[in-house]
Amino acid sequence: WPHVTYSEVCNAIFSPSYKKAPGPSQITYSALRLAWQADATPIYLLISQCANTGFHPHLWCKTIAVALCKPGKPDYANPRAYCLIQLEECLGKVLEAV
C-alpha cells in the first residue's frame, strides 16, 4: 500500500460537510478542523500510522443508530415505517476515507 499523504488526510477532514452529525464521542468535523488548523502533525501521524499498519481503533468503529419515522406511513407499529440512521465517529470516517 502507498503511504498516506498529508494532503489526503487534510482532504478527508475538510471534504465532508461541517454539519455532519458526530458519533458517540461527539467530536464533530468542526472540532477536527479547528484541531487541524491549530496543529495538524499529531492528527496526521495518528491517521497515517493507523492506515499504514491497517489498524482501525475499536472506539472509532462504534456507532449510534437512530430510528426516524418515515412520513405518511399508515401504521407505525410496523418496523418498515422507520428508517435507521447510523452516526459514525468522524475520525473513523477520516481513516476510512484515506
Side-chain angles (χ1 to χ4, degrees):
W1 296 95
H3 288 289
V4 176
T5 64
Y6 185 87
S7 62
E8 287 176 323
V9 177
C10 183
N11 287 339
I13 291 173
F14 285 90
S15 292
S17 171
Y18 70 93
K19 295 180 182 180
K20 283 203 172 272
S25 71
Q26 298 297 305
I27 297 173
T28 63
Y29 275 106
S30 296
L32 280 178
R33 290 173 183 177
L34 289 172
W36 182 267
Q37 291 169 348
D39 189 6
T41 304
I43 299 170
Y44 167 71
L45 291 175
L46 176 64
I47 297 295
S48 65
Q49 285 298 319
C50 286
N52 292 336
T53 59
F55 178 71
H56 199 289
H58 181 69
L59 290 175
W60 293 358
C61 298
K62 293 188 180 228
T63 60
I64 297 173
V66 179
L68 300 177
C69 296
K70 293 180 182 176
K73 294 292 181 177
D75 181 19
Y76 286 105
N78 184 351
R80 293 187 183 264
Y82 296 90
C83 178
L84 282 181
I85 304 295
Q86 296 198 1
L87 307 176
E88 300 177 353
E89 288 292 341
C90 292
L91 279 170
K93 291 185 226 176
V94 169
L95 180 58
E96 290 170 4
V98 297

